[in-house]
Amino acid sequence: MNTLFISDLHLSAERPEITRLFLEFLRNEAVQADALYILGDLFEVWIGDDASVPEHRAVIEGLRHLVDSGTPVYVMHGNRDFLMAKGFEEASGCRIIADPTIIDLHGESTLLMHGDTLCTDDIEYQHFRTQVRDSARQQQFLSLPPQQRTAIAMDYRTQSREKSSQKAQEIMDVNLQTVENTLREHGVTRLIHGHTHRPATHEITVDGKTAQRVVLGDWYHQGSALTCDAAGCRLAPYTVEP
Ligand code: MN
């Protein structure tokens, strides 16, 4: 039996083929797994559990079906869908987990994160993150009519794209010192995260011990999944032959 990890699907009406690929993944790969972990940015935008978004409906039904058929699904907030809450859990059957979370993965303590908090060189983003994660500010946002919330979310997205295009690539990657400190602080030698869209398995040394940092891939032109079992973890693209 195996455990699956995915992240950064950024599901939206703009890329219906990726939504279809994900639904396919749920029906075929995930149904055979012990558990599915989605480590952030499942959705491109989530403006609140109360806003009914037609393109999200099939995704929520697909998740519900998977959970009902016996595969638990754990979802972590990303920087785009951090307003998912109880209503999402009830509709989908998924459980929201904290960032970070430590799990026992086939006998090895493993730290799970979305990854944005590791990008400490991007001071402007970290400042923005602190602002939008403020609970009073979130309540205020959630009290606005859905149309207004969508407009604000779209505006944030445009700004974020403009800022990202002006920043050096290294600034938007994880800070290696932050990674080391995080592994040390949690006493683990394995970290799985997403966010940077740079799928890879990195071997690093922390206090003389070998540690592993697995970066999940995004779902833009194809899918990507990490499969872990007693023998280890394998990161591979996910596609469906036409
Ligand atoms: Mn992200």
Side-chain angles (χ1 to χ4, degrees):
M1 290 295 268
N2 56 47
T3 308
L4 298 175
F5 298 87
I6 59 175
S7 72
D8 303 285
L9 293 96
H10 296 268
L11 300 179
S12 84
E14 285 164 38
R15 292 178 301 118
E17 69 285 0
I18 294 298
T19 299
R20 282 198 295 277
L21 183 64
F22 177 56
L23 294 173
E24 174 85 28
F25 176 82
L26 295 181
R27 284 195 299 268
N28 294 298
E29 304 293 303
V31 80
Q32 301 167 41
D34 282 329
L36 169 65
Y37 287 84
I38 303 172
L39 300 186
D41 290 345
L42 169 61
F43 297 106
E44 174 73 353
V45 180
W46 188 266
I47 59 162
D49 292 354
D50 61 319
S52 170
V53 180
E55 59 266 25
H56 291 165
R57 227 167 276 152
V59 173
I60 289 170
E61 272 168 32
L63 289 165
R64 174 99 244 168
H65 186 75
L66 177 65
V67 172
D68 288 347
S69 68
T71 302
V73 181
Y74 303 97
V75 178
M76 187 177 279
H77 285 157
N79 51 303
R80 302 217 171 260
D81 53 10
F82 57 85
L83 289 174
M84 288 192 293
K86 278 264 169 291
F88 167 77
E89 288 187 313
E90 281 160 18
S92 66
C94 299
R95 289 243 302 274
I96 295 175
I97 55 170
D99 180 2
T101 285
I102 295 178
I103 61 165
D104 179 334
L105 184 58
H106 303 282
E108 189 178 343
S109 276
T110 301
L111 182 64
L112 309 179
M113 303 177 83
H114 176 53
D116 56 334
T117 55
L118 299 169
C119 300
T120 49
D121 291 330
D122 193 346
I123 292 158
E124 187 185 21
Y125 169 72
Q126 295 303 334
H127 179 68
F128 172 77
R129 188 183 190 279
T130 305
Q131 287 183 335
V132 296
R133 298 296 178 107
D134 176 70
S135 68
R137 194 176 156 133
Q138 287 187 2
Q139 288 314 311
Q140 192 198 3
F141 178 81
L142 290 169
S143 70
L144 299 170
Q147 268 179 320
Q148 207 177 333
R149 279 183 257 163
T150 302
I152 295 171
M154 289 306 155
D155 192 40
Y156 276 159
R157 198 174 67 152
T158 308
Q159 283 181 39
S160 148
R161 281 182 181 169
E162 277 167 12
K163 281 173 186 156
S164 298
S165 67
Q166 292 159 5
K167 283 174 193 166
Q169 289 297 314
E170 310 81 68
I171 287 180
M172 292 184 293
D173 200 355
V174 299
N175 174 293
L176 294 177
Q177 193 58 55
T178 305
V179 168
E180 270 189 48
N181 293 345
T182 305
L183 288 167
R184 190 177 292 123
E185 184 189 325
H186 293 281
V188 295
T189 51
R190 183 156 63 194
L191 163 64
I192 301 172
H193 72 83
H195 182 67
T196 59
H197 301 204
R198 297 170 204 216
T201 300
H202 301 274
E203 298 282 328
I204 53 173
T205 307
V206 181
D207 302 333
K209 277 186 274 183
T210 303
Q212 200 181 40
R213 175 170 73 95
V214 185
V215 188
L216 304 173
D218 63 57
W219 288 53
Y220 275 95
H221 304 293
Q222 59 186 11
S224 174
L226 178 73
T227 307
C228 297
D229 57 24
C233 294
R234 295 164 304 282
L235 185 62
Y238 179 72
T239 50
V240 172
E241 297 305 323

